[in-house]
Amino acid sequence: MKNFTYSIPTVVHFGEGQIKKLGGEIAARASRVLVVYGGGSVKRNGVFDAAIAQLKSRGIQWAELPGVEPNPRVATVREGVRLCREEGLDGVLALGGGSVIDCAKGVAAGFYYEGDPWDFSAKKLTPERALPIFTVLTMAATGSEMDEIAVISNPETNEKESFSGPCCYPAVSILDPTYTYSVPASQTAAGTADIMSHTFENYFSPIETNYLADHLAEAILRSCIQYGPKAIQTPNDYEARANLMWNASWAINGFLKQGKPVAWSVHRMEHELSAFYDITHGVGLAILTPNWMRYVLNEKTEGRFARYGTAVWGLDASLPTRELAQAAIQKTREFFTSLELPSTLAELGIGPEYFEEMARKARTGSFDKTFVPLSAEDIVNIYQMSL
Ligand code: NZQ
Ligand code: ZN
């Protein structure tokens, strides 16, 4: 195992009714917050009212940034920064899923930066300081509630880029599974695919020497397979929603990647799809993942896929390794289809027009260090297989 430092400063209050801790947690760190939310789901499911009641109970002032888009836009981040400065705010409260939380991170970091917040995404600099970030999570998917990453889109340039920095960890996150009861089936499915993809990105790494992380990854995958369909069938199933929610946080909070070299493949490819076509992140991942698996299957990698097949899908370990690996990939494909996620880009109306350009943009240096290193040509091939 390689050396590492593991530090997550986020305080997590998990479970039904934990919103009651929000007021006190904010009051300890801020007195005037920007309340950030999306297209209105938090107004319909009571999350907004519950959070505002907490602010009122502690005399915390607030301003609002509504309308954060799925695949949040840099223009909305800029607007949030403007509001924080104009209103003299000293904290940011996100009510929503990954898009809302990522936008809040952009605002919190942008507040202390005189330039354009897009500079973080453009990798011109790493944010070093941010307003305290508070989140009330309403959807199990991205893990943004417990990580330091934000992904922001710039539709004018067809770009979708992430930035990160320790200052972008939320200070406090409220994870109440009942707040996800209202997530529609399609988003629950996409979220499940996203959690699984984060786990795959960490699990399929060039060196496999982290016993604890590998077993946790397999447990997260099994848990998604068990509880994703349950949450879709019975949206108010507390156990299902609770397990999905905690899976989401642990798939990406850094634990799974410690001690081994990890570079992600499928996410980079998917972000280009979202950037060009504004599609749902988890849907893009569900389409690309089984094709990526098929593409990188070779003599060197088949053992890892075979282990995945036995540990996660309970496949017969006595089967020949290649057969096992192929069966595991097929299981993955069938699982996503069973959640009624699209399995081809054509279903989303996406053709091959921009594949070369997307592959060129996706292909950063980290693709030299991925599970199987990929060239721009390889990436085009995977897009083609996904058509
Ligand atoms: O806009 P609202 O009204 O909030 O509705 C949202 C949105 O339409 C809705 N929704 C969320 N919670 C709900 C609900 N509807 C009913 N009841 C609820 N309780 O679901 C829709 C999708 O929400 P969104 O926040 O966009 O979904 P998600 O959490 O999947 O976030 C996706 C974004 O996060 C980025 C993705 O690229 C994408 O931009 N990612 C962020 C990461 C991170 N910060 O670490 C890592 C990920 O890999 C990912 O890239
Ligand atoms: Zn993701």
Side-chain angles (χ1 to χ4, degrees):
M1 211 188 286
K2 292 162 62 129
N3 293 4
F4 61 85
T5 300
Y6 190 57
S7 167
I8 301 182
T10 306
V11 176
V12 174
H13 294 294
F14 188 98
E16 185 167 10
Q18 289 284 37
I19 190 94
K20 65 176 183 276
K21 311 228 170 93
L22 183 66
E25 290 284 21
I26 296 179
R29 298 167 177 85
S31 57
R32 297 169 64 82
V33 296
L34 183 69
V35 180
V36 183
Y37 55 99
S41 66
V42 291
K43 291 264 173 98
R44 292 187 291 275
N45 61 17
V47 171
F48 181 85
D49 288 344
I52 295 299
Q54 284 294 306
L55 300 183
K56 285 182 178 163
S57 74
R58 297 284 176 152
I60 299 160
Q61 305 293 306
W62 76 92
E64 292 180 30
L65 178 67
V68 174
E69 313 78 8
N71 299 328
R73 298 177 181 194
V74 67
T76 315
V77 175
R78 291 180 189 129
E79 173 62 8
V81 172
R82 187 189 68 76
L83 275 168
C84 283
R85 289 182 182 151
E86 263 182 32
E87 307 277 335
L89 307 180
D90 59 2
V92 184
L93 169 60
L95 310 177
S99 295
V100 168
I101 299 175
D102 286 2
C103 179
K105 289 176 178 179
V107 172
F111 179 83
Y112 286 112
Y113 176 55
E114 284 311 312
D116 183 2
W118 182 254
D119 291 350
F120 301 137
S121 303
K123 312 283 188 292
K124 287 190 187 161
L125 78 165
T126 301
E128 285 180 0
R129 205 174 159 205
L131 293 172
I133 300 156
F134 308 94
T135 86
V136 180
L137 182 65
T138 65
M139 180 165 153
T142 66
S144 190
E145 67 279 4
M146 206 178 169
D147 76 20
E148 57 179 330
I149 306 164
V151 187
I152 304 297
S153 293
N154 188 343
E156 283 159 29
T157 55
N158 284 345
E159 285 176 287
K160 179 175 184 178
E161 297 290 341
S162 64
F163 66 84
S164 63
C167 65
C168 294
Y169 278 105
V172 180
S173 284
I174 306 292
L175 273 57
D176 182 337
T178 67
Y179 289 169
T180 66
Y181 286 174
S182 55
V183 177
S186 60
Q187 287 293 342
T188 303
T192 303
D194 192 20
I195 301 166
M196 291 177 75
S197 178
H198 298 154
T199 312
F200 290 142
E201 301 275 21
N202 290 309
Y203 183 75
F204 292 106
S205 69
I207 298 172
E208 301 140 17
T209 53
N210 193 325
Y211 185 95
L212 185 58
D214 285 345
H215 281 261
L216 180 62
E218 288 159 0
I220 290 173
L221 293 167
R222 286 197 301 271
S223 176
C224 287
I225 292 161
Q226 179 164 341
Y227 291 113
K230 262 193 168 170
I232 289 169
Q233 271 155 23
T234 317
N236 292 14
D237 183 323
Y238 186 84
E239 277 314 299
R241 292 296 192 183
N243 277 283
L244 280 183
M245 197 172 229
W246 202 217
N247 287 344
S249 303
W250 277 83
I252 197 174
N253 72 8
F255 186 89
L256 296 184
K257 71 174 182 190
Q258 302 305 343
K260 57 182 193 169
V262 169
W264 290 22
S265 311
V266 182
H267 267 67
R268 203 67 205 85
M269 292 184 247
E270 195 295 312
H271 282 173
E272 294 305 324
L273 287 176
S274 291
F276 277 73
Y277 296 99
D278 200 18
I279 64 168
T280 298
H281 174 59
V283 170
L285 295 170
I287 295 170
L288 293 175
T289 297
N291 295 306
W292 166 79
M293 288 179 165
R294 210 147 54 89
Y295 195 81
V296 300
L297 177 62
N298 59 36
E299 273 156 30
K300 267 177 139 173
T301 63
E302 63 183 12
R304 188 65 166 170
F305 282 109
R307 172 179 163 156
Y308 159 61
T310 50
V312 174
W313 292 105
L315 297 176
D316 179 358
S318 67
L319 286 170
T321 308
R322 179 59 67 102
E323 214 178 292
L324 206 44
Q326 283 165 336
I329 295 170
Q330 185 59 22
K331 282 277 186 193
T332 313
R333 184 184 294 279
E334 286 166 6
F335 178 69
F336 290 147
T337 312
S338 76
L339 300 184
E340 298 192 3
L341 288 161
S343 57
T344 63
L345 294 175
E347 286 167 70
L348 307 181
I350 297 176
E353 299 78 48
Y354 298 111
F355 283 176
E356 267 84 19
E357 192 181 344
M358 292 193 304
R360 207 178 52 248
K361 284 172 131 179
R363 190 34 205 70
T364 58
S366 69
F367 271 101
D368 295 333
K369 300 183 195 119
T370 45
F371 182 49
V372 171
L374 298 174
S375 64
E377 199 188 334
D378 292 322
I379 296 171
V380 170
N381 291 339
I382 294 168
Y383 286 142
Q384 290 283 0
M385 287 165 74
S386 309
L387 261 178

